Amino acid sequence: MEQPQPAPGSLSWRLSSHPITLLTFLGFRVSSLLVYLFGLLFTDNLVMIFIITILLLAADFYYLKNIAGRRLVGLRWWNEVDPSTGDSHWVFESSEPGSKVINATDSRFFWIAIYAQPLFWIALAVVAVFSFKFIWLPLVAIALVLTITNSLAFSRCDKFSQASNIAGSAFNGGNLAGSIASNMVGRFFTR
Amino acid sequence: MAAPNRSHYQSTPQVDLENNDEDIHDLIDPDDADLNSFDDPLAPSSSTSRPLPQGSITSASQTATALSSRWGLSGEDRAAPLNTIDEPVSATLLRDLSAIWSKLKEVLYPKYLFGGSMSSISDVRNLRLAQAREEIVGLASRAMDADSLLSNNHMSSGLRDWDLWGPLVFCLLLSTLLSLKSREQQREVVFSGVFAMVWVGMGVVTVQIRLLGGNISFAQSVCIIGYTLFPLVIAALLSAVSLIWIARIPVYLVLVGWSLAAGVSILGGSGVVKNRVGLAVYPLAVFYLGLGCLCFIS
């Protein structure tokens, strides 16, 4: 099945352990950018481009947050609101230490994609400002908010999961009780 | 299905508030209290979001399910110690779709219209009649009634986990439908204008509620207001199929009223200072009316 091996962890989708998830993820990530950049070559309808880009961005956000994140790197986050005070807090969840082997290729693709995307959109925002195409600014702003939220949340989530992994192994060598304890800590880590 | 748990929500805190006055002082949490140590009488189901006494993972999740079945809540408690990392993709999608549907249901079926303070199912009919009479009296009495609604401060489960699918989709639909009927060269302006107006409006209404002391987070409020745009999407759809103008007036008024009723019934319990409910509801009403007028003239 494998070709003359690329080094483990290199950016080739053949090495991925979830190729479909990975390709869908990258597809959503790239397609919103492509539609925004090149959509006007195919149609004059600004509104259509706007809608398609926003829907792709939303789909990308959702897919990354709820599906790609946990399948590729075993991380998940969400935001919860305490109904009595209206304060929101972040909940980070990570797979139990040792129960899941994170594929190096997957995680590299994941982290590169997650950090590169906001940079692209920042560049596009600068372009939009300096070429006086202000009609696109709301779209770029939405894109920035969505992608940066995901980047920040996942990087926090990753930091936290590393911390709790250490804590979990310190408790009692990764048996059930230890992993539960670390999971509980992970759940109630608030911002 | 929804009625019995509502009665659970409302009857419990009400009794607490009326029985003894010193309980009210217990409601004020100490400053140094941990988020998890609050005893929240208003939302019984939130007790599951506290760290459960730790034994094994199975007993913890059993407690959570037992609690949720006791309150007859459908839907999933996000804070329950379930492992969602390894679930299949279909489970994720299904859960989120059902969450969206349950929020939409709260809009389609504004509790407030059918008597926000009803205590048993048998009361529904009477209250609905009474409520219908109040509808005629108009907006003023509605704001007054929101006052009594506030007093039995209920929280719906839809308030707790928010998503932005509703606001996004309804906002896009609204702006698209409204821009369909406009002139060719104005289409983009109409689209972006309505789009911006909806988001700015939601922001203003939310800021207003927060400044009046409401305990609702920004995203929650945007989520709720976004979902309550649904009746206005119907209005925009009617405009898009060129409903005759004379028929628009009553129909749109009803739709705007529907939006407002849904908005008030869900946002009503967000803890605005008691005698300022009218003030909090007013920008919401202006927002819906403005969008309704846009639908009317398009």
Side-chain angles (χ1 to χ4, degrees), chain A residues 67-135:
Chain A
I67 296 171
R70 65 184 171 79
R71 307 244 317 170
L72 296 182
V73 291
L75 298 174
R76 187 166 192 205
W77 62 274
W78 65 88
N79 187 295
E80 235 174 31
V81 177
D82 181 359
S84 58
T85 59
D87 294 336
S88 60
H89 67 279
W90 300 80
V91 185
F92 298 127
E93 194 178 34
S94 56
S95 56
E96 290 178 21
S99 71
K100 188 181 176 93
V101 178
I102 307 295
N103 186 311
T105 303
D106 282 345
S107 88
R108 252 186 96 191
F109 261 124
F110 182 84
W111 292 110
I112 289 178
I114 217 174
Y115 288 125
Q117 189 89 343
L119 296 182
F120 277 127
W121 281 109
I122 289 175
L124 288 175
V126 172
V127 170
V129 168
F130 285 106
S131 59
F132 299 104
K133 300 219 168 104
F134 294 117
I135 194 150

Side-chain angles (χ1 to χ4, degrees), chain A residues 110-176:
Chain A
F110 182 84
W111 292 110
I112 289 178
I114 217 174
Y115 288 125
Q117 189 89 343
L119 296 182
F120 277 127
W121 281 109
I122 289 175
L124 288 175
V126 172
V127 170
V129 168
F130 285 106
S131 59
F132 299 104
K133 300 219 168 104
F134 294 117
I135 194 150
W136 292 110
L137 278 185
L139 180 58
V140 177
I142 292 171
L144 277 177
V145 168
L146 290 180
T147 51
I148 289 181
T149 310
N150 247 337
S151 310
L152 287 182
F154 268 111
S155 68
R156 288 182 73 95
C157 194
D158 184 46
K159 273 195 202 104
F160 187 77
S161 90
Q162 283 165 10
S164 77
N165 278 3
I166 294 165
S169 55
F171 265 123
N172 28 18
N175 70 6
L176 188 61

Side-chain angles (χ1 to χ4, degrees), chain B residues 45-101:
Chain B
S45 69
S46 78
S47 57
T48 54
S49 70
R50 240 162 268 142
L52 294 156
Q54 290 168 19
S56 69
I57 194 102
T58 49
S59 76
S61 59
Q62 272 164 6
T63 324
T65 49
L67 262 179
S68 62
S69 64
R70 183 152 67 94
W71 292 105
L73 288 176
S74 60
E76 186 253 354
D77 187 356
R78 285 299 189 88
L82 294 169
N83 192 353
T84 59
I85 285 276
D86 293 323
E87 69 187 2
V89 174
S90 58
T92 310
L93 289 178
L94 265 182
R95 190 186 52 229
D96 290 332
L97 281 178
S98 71
I100 291 175
W101 172 238

Side-chain angles (χ1 to χ4, degrees), chain A residues 21 44-47 50-51 54-55 58-59 62-63 65-67 70-71 74-76 78-89 93-96 99-100 135 138 142 146 176-177 180-181 183-185 187-188 190, chain B residues 29 35-36 38 40 43 46 49-52 54-57 77-89 92-93 95-96 155 159-162 165 168-169 172 176 179 187-188 191-192 195 210 215-217 220:
Chain A
T21 312
D44 283 341
N45 196 342
L46 284 188
V47 171
F50 193 94
I51 294 175
I54 283 205
L55 288 180
Y62 177 84
Y63 192 82
K65 174 179 172 297
N66 291 322
I67 296 171
R70 65 184 171 79
R71 307 244 317 170
L75 298 174
R76 187 166 192 205
W78 65 88
N79 187 295
E80 235 174 31
V81 177
D82 181 359
S84 58
T85 59
D87 294 336
S88 60
H89 67 279
E93 194 178 34
S94 56
S95 56
E96 290 178 21
S99 71
K100 188 181 176 93
I135 194 150
I142 292 171
L146 290 180
L176 188 61
I180 289 166
N183 254 12
M184 293 310 256
V185 179
R187 257 162 226 294
F188 296 102
T190 59
Chain B
D29 300 305
L35 187 68
N36 297 323
F38 288 172
D40 180 8
S46 78
S49 70
R50 240 162 268 142
L52 294 156
Q54 290 168 19
S56 69
I57 194 102
D77 187 356
R78 285 299 189 88
L82 294 169
N83 192 353
T84 59
I85 285 276
D86 293 323
E87 69 187 2
V89 174
T92 310
L93 289 178
R95 190 186 52 229
D96 290 332
M155 283 287 167
L159 269 176
R160 239 179 64 191
D161 32 82
W162 48 274
W165 283 113
L168 174 73
V169 169
L172 280 179
T176 315
S179 69
R187 199 161 283 176
E188 285 153 20
F191 179 85
S192 51
F195 193 85
R210 288 223 58 143
N215 53 9
I216 190 168
S217 86
Q220 268 182 318

